[in-house]
Amino acid sequence: MSYEENNPSDIDQKWVFQILKNIIPDLETSEISFLYHGTYNVFKVKDEFIFRFPDKHFRNQKGQQMIVNEIKTLKMLKKHIKIKIPDPIFFSTRKDELYMGYKKIEGISLSRCVRMMSSSQKLEIAGSIGKILSQLHSRSLIHKIFPKTNFSFNAFKQDWRHKFEKIKAIAYPILSENQKDWVHKLYSCYLNNEDNFNFEPSIAHCDFDTSNIIVNPSNFRIEGIIDFEDTKIYDPSIDLLFLDEGEEFMKMIFKKYKIHKYDDLKERILFFYNQMGLEYLIFGIENDLEEMIKAGISLLIKRME
């Protein structure tokens, strides 16, 4: 299970019930079940709705903007992509009452069933992922959704340089020499290769993994995609980090993915994939989250193998 699936809620469920009772008057306490806790505390309500309440570190202006941006993005994307995505029907942007609710997309996360699937079923899923990302990353969609946004390659590169400096400042003290050498090589190779900053930007989900892909458990077909809070104009490679599923899975994605060739993105995919543990580690250190720090180091060690 992922860190998010093991992470307990950091919000009082009695308070959640009171908020939801104002929206759904006939709600019973037994009809609320906690699902997982990442950026949001996520609850299933009446087996019909999904409600998301920000983690305590986002119950502020940043959390407000996060909800506003996601709702705006979802409303625009809904007009242009064929797969089901959340359609927010309940939300509040008050600092003391931040949440978003939508009708549940029926199914389960791909992460919960991918190990039970046959090789042919996995390849069918991979092909579907390629088709979905072809829609999301299409050249025409970026102009429809974010027509006035200019992507700055300089700002993008500076952001990754800043992340590397932050890692050296606050993560290096708890890493072994071997781990520091590996991280230094990872970031240096990425930052010093100008080809990594000469790509065609796309609308990217930016958290497109098996936990956010909803499938029908009876036939393993994709029903929808969730969790669009990080969606923005970005390097499309960030949405193609399915290396854990094997080379054949990746090849099938790119057989159906019509925007870029695998070889053109492979180096950047590998960088984004390998640095994932460091994202957990930095957030955990900055917010004194011991379990997230452990999860980050564990993932770092796994990537180094």
Side-chain angles (χ1 to χ4, degrees):
M1 295 178 74
S2 68
Y3 168 79
E4 288 81 2
E5 291 170 309
N6 283 314
N7 193 23
S9 173
D10 73 351
I11 196 167
D12 184 356
Q13 194 157 322
K14 291 180 180 178
W15 179 83
V16 170
F17 174 73
Q18 291 302 320
I19 296 296
L20 297 180
K21 186 77 171 174
N22 293 328
I23 304 168
I24 309 169
D26 65 342
L27 182 67
E28 302 291 337
T29 54
S30 60
E31 295 177 307
I32 301 176
S33 56
F34 171 70
L35 297 179
Y36 60 89
H37 171 201
T39 305
Y40 289 90
N41 295 270
V42 181
F43 297 87
K44 181 170 64 174
V45 178
K46 275 186 167 290
D47 201 32
E48 183 180 357
F49 302 105
I50 297 295
F51 276 83
R52 302 159 76 219
F53 294 82
D55 171 87
K56 64 183 179 182
H57 299 97
F58 299 104
R59 290 171 208 155
N60 47 35
Q61 188 173 359
K62 185 174 182 179
Q64 285 178 308
Q65 198 58 52
M66 197 163 62
I67 289 175
V68 169
N69 289 346
E70 184 172 9
I71 291 172
K72 183 179 179 181
T73 298
L74 287 168
K75 294 292 185 185
M76 291 188 290
L77 281 176
K78 188 175 177 64
K79 302 173 185 176
H80 301 289
I81 60 175
K82 297 175 182 177
I83 195 73
K84 291 178 185 175
I85 60 176
D87 185 10
I89 50 179
F90 307 109
F91 65 90
S92 170
T93 56
R94 286 172 43 188
K95 283 185 181 179
D96 61 340
E97 196 179 289
L98 290 171
Y99 65 81
M100 183 178 82
Y102 58 87
K103 199 167 183 64
K104 183 181 73 169
I105 298 172
E106 293 297 333
I108 63 173
S109 293
L110 177 58
S111 59
R112 292 176 55 193
C113 60
V114 68
R115 302 292 173 246
M116 300 183 290
M117 295 164 62
S118 67
S119 296
S120 61
Q121 287 169 331
K122 284 184 179 181
L123 292 180
E124 185 175 346
I125 284 281
S128 296
I129 288 172
K131 291 177 182 178
I132 291 166
L133 289 178
S134 292
Q135 293 178 48
L136 186 63
H137 294 172
S138 69
R139 294 170 178 87
S140 61
L141 189 58
I142 194 170
H143 301 296
K144 294 174 182 176
I145 306 299
F146 299 111
K148 297 180 180 179
T149 304
N150 293 317
F151 182 83
S152 168
F153 283 97
N154 183 57
F156 176 80
K157 187 172 184 178
Q158 285 301 112
D159 182 53
W160 281 103
R161 286 193 183 280
H162 176 69
K163 287 181 181 180
F164 187 29
E165 292 304 316
K166 184 182 285 188
I167 289 167
K168 289 190 284 187
I170 69 175
Y172 271 25
I174 65 171
L175 298 181
S176 70
E177 290 302 316
N178 189 38
Q179 289 167 343
K180 285 187 279 189
D181 288 344
W182 186 88
V183 171
H184 185 85
K185 183 177 179 181
L186 174 70
Y187 271 82
S188 295
C189 288
Y190 174 71
L191 291 169
N192 292 332
N193 184 350
E194 287 303 318
D195 288 343
N196 290 329
F197 306 95
N198 185 29
F199 55 84
E200 183 176 0
S202 299
I203 294 176
H205 182 284
C206 292
D207 194 17
F208 195 81
D209 60 22
T210 55
S211 67
N212 290 328
I213 298 172
I214 304 300
V215 301
N216 183 326
S218 64
N219 59 21
F220 299 123
R221 290 181 180 169
I222 296 178
E223 294 293 330
I225 308 297
I226 60 172
D227 291 7
F228 284 78
E229 67 263 23
D230 294 322
T231 300
K232 55 182 172 284
I233 299 175
Y234 212 69
D235 182 346
S237 306
I238 198 78
D239 285 345
L240 290 148
L241 312 185
F242 292 92
L243 299 176
D244 285 340
E245 309 313 324
E247 188 68 17
E248 291 305 312
F249 194 92
M250 291 295 292
K251 286 180 179 178
M252 180 56 75
I253 289 176
F254 278 90
K255 186 175 181 179
K256 301 296 183 180
Y257 180 64
K258 304 302 182 184
I259 311 300
H260 303 285
K261 294 180 180 179
Y262 189 15
D263 287 345
D264 294 336
L265 305 186
K266 200 168 187 177
E267 186 173 328
R268 303 199 315 269
I269 288 172
L270 192 59
F271 169 74
F272 290 132
Y273 171 81
N274 280 331
Q275 64 83 43
M276 287 170 63
L278 295 160
E279 300 271 359
Y280 282 103
L281 185 57
I282 291 301
F283 191 84
I285 292 171
E286 288 184 323
N287 296 286
D288 196 25
L289 299 171
E290 185 177 348
E291 292 304 313
M292 184 173 271
I293 293 170
K294 289 179 181 177
I297 291 177
S298 177
L299 187 53
L300 172 62
I301 291 170
K302 186 177 179 181
R303 294 293 191 259
M304 290 175 63
E305 292 174 352

